[in-house]
Amino acid sequence: MKAIVYTRNALPIDDPTSLHEMDLPRPSPGPRDLLVAIKAIAVNPVDTKVRHRAPVTEPRILGWDAVGTVEATGSEVTLFKQGDEVFYAGSITRPGSYAEYSLVDERIAGPKPRSIDAAQAAALPLTTLTAYELLFDRLGVAEGGGEGQVLLVIGAGGGVGSILVQLARQLTRLTVVGTASRKETRDWVTKLGAHHVIDHGKPFADQLKAIGIDSVDIVASLTHTDDYFAQLPDLIKAQGRFGIIDDPASLDVTKLKSKAISLHWESMFTRSVYGTDDMQRQHDILARASALIDDGTLKTTMGEHFGRINAENLRKAHKKIESHTARGKIVLEGF
């Protein structure tokens, strides 16, 4: 099968060997696996981080967002059958989706939404799982809850922020405040449902006071947490909640103690990497998201379509993400 791989980490993305094409054997499914013929993929910041940080001794296939058709199933599969269309984010410990075929455990795959095409669906799995788990599983917000409370989403225009804003606006009663700096990103976040948008390039407190908000109950910090953290203990109410998904070099969490602010980490790979007892929760989340897309409650977060799945286009996608100017999700489609 055709696959786009890296064979040496930390190469600059302009180097044509940073991502290149190889012919690799088609994988065979294990007992709970689906063998999926890939139709479309999305590129995430984690793709670029792994390419930079993870040394390899053999070609590695990146990619943790995919849409495709089930080609074959393992002996113990019960949730899907051959011919089903699925979408998923996979496991970071397995070969990814930059290939014509990919394996995924059925417990972390969901039925593709029927009302949107493969490229639009590919934008959703990783960020939807991250946002849904962060909001409901980690921060403990109840569906239909949050009346009178304020959620501040730092980095609301990115991939995770774009779905988190929608989930919070559509499924809770929280007042949603997103941060964005460029006009097009501010417009995007507003369109997705944020009640207010402030500029993360300026101090938060004065901007919040200008819209009548003195403090916030919950912060979801999705990017550059170490740049913004110094402001947050003063902004979060006593007994508030602070959620984080990125990789700050360090945080002085003692600053959260006096207000008993709880800290919540989210990594959507945790369930698949550790084979948790509730691993199938991700199948359930994706099935729910698919239904919410089909009934019009949620919208795809596809931002840009970079064309066919090949090494050149994937290098362009990585470069865009590394520039920190991507809005929504970058997708590619077909070989």
Side-chain angles (χ1 to χ4, degrees):
M1 68 175 184
K2 183 187 295 185
I4 293 86
V5 304
Y6 79 98
T7 49
R8 180 182 166 194
N9 72 301
L11 291 173
I13 198 58
D14 289 330
D15 187 323
T17 64
S18 60
L19 290 170
H20 57 98
E21 187 177 312
M22 289 189 72
D23 187 51
L24 296 176
R26 183 188 301 187
S28 298
R32 298 298 299 271
D33 284 342
L34 311 174
L35 175 66
V36 179
I38 300 294
K39 291 184 178 179
I41 63 172
V43 180
N44 293 281
V46 66
D47 302 27
T48 69
K49 292 175 184 176
V50 172
R51 197 193 86 245
H52 276 289
R53 299 174 186 173
V56 290
T57 56
E58 58 185 24
R60 182 168 185 178
I61 306 171
L62 298 171
W64 292 283
D65 263 326
V67 173
T69 302
V70 176
E71 186 91 357
T73 61
S75 58
E76 298 177 15
V77 167
T78 61
L79 300 173
F80 299 98
K81 63 183 184 304
Q82 186 178 19
D84 285 346
E85 289 191 304
V86 295
F87 73 151
Y88 57 90
S91 169
I92 200 167
T93 60
R94 305 186 74 176
S97 58
Y98 294 5
E100 289 183 290
Y101 294 91
S102 175
L103 294 177
V104 63
D105 189 298
E106 63 167 345
R107 292 168 290 180
I108 59 172
K112 172 193 168 290
R114 298 183 304 275
S115 60
I116 58 177
D117 64 27
Q120 292 170 321
L124 292 165
L126 187 147
T127 51
T128 298
L129 288 167
T130 301
Y132 201 103
E133 289 183 350
L134 178 62
L135 186 62
F136 298 116
D137 295 359
R138 314 298 176 219
L139 291 167
V141 177
E143 285 201 31
E147 180 75 33
Q149 296 187 323
V150 177
L151 167 68
L152 175 64
V153 182
I154 299 173
V160 175
S162 293
I163 197 72
L164 180 58
V165 166
Q166 294 186 71
L167 289 170
R169 181 61 188 266
Q170 296 295 333
L171 301 185
T172 79
R173 297 182 181 181
L174 292 164
T175 295
V176 183
V177 181
T179 78
S181 56
R182 294 175 294 131
K183 181 183 183 303
E184 58 267 34
T185 313
R186 293 171 66 89
D187 291 345
W188 169 263
V189 174
T190 300
K191 182 179 178 182
L192 293 173
H195 294 92
H196 308 282
V197 183
I198 63 174
D199 187 344
H200 49 232
K202 301 175 182 177
F204 295 157
D206 290 343
Q207 296 181 80
L208 288 169
K209 286 177 181 176
I211 55 177
I213 296 173
D214 292 322
S215 58
V216 302
D217 300 87
I218 306 169
V219 170
S221 185
L222 310 180
T223 185
H224 292 90
T225 296
D226 30 12
D227 292 339
Y228 306 118
F229 182 72
Q231 306 179 57
L232 301 179
D234 289 336
L235 286 179
I236 302 173
K237 289 181 180 179
Q239 302 184 103
R241 287 162 281 174
F242 176 50
I244 180 173
I245 70 168
D246 64 336
D247 305 292
S250 64
L251 290 179
D252 183 2
V253 296
T254 61
K255 296 181 182 299
L256 306 177
K257 181 180 178 180
S258 68
K259 287 185 175 180
I261 296 168
S262 56
L263 174 62
H264 306 262
W265 282 98
E266 159 59 17
S267 171
M268 58 76 54
F269 290 123
T270 296
R271 283 175 160 131
S272 59
V273 168
Y274 292 95
T276 60
D277 292 341
D278 65 349
M279 184 169 158
Q280 194 165 315
R281 167 78 168 154
Q282 293 201 333
H283 165 77
D284 298 337
I285 291 171
L286 289 174
R288 177 84 193 285
S290 186
L292 291 169
I293 288 285
D294 286 339
D295 71 14
T297 301
L298 299 180
K299 297 178 174 61
T300 180
T301 54
M302 183 177 79
E304 298 180 80
H305 194 306
F306 270 44
R308 301 191 75 77
I309 304 169
N310 59 43
E312 180 182 5
N313 288 339
L314 278 164
R315 288 194 298 270
K316 290 177 182 177
H318 277 233
K319 187 170 185 177
K320 179 76 170 182
I321 286 176
E322 289 172 358
S323 75
H324 303 293
T325 60
R327 175 180 59 81
K329 293 292 293 293
I330 296 171
V331 302
L332 299 92
E333 183 177 16
F335 285 88

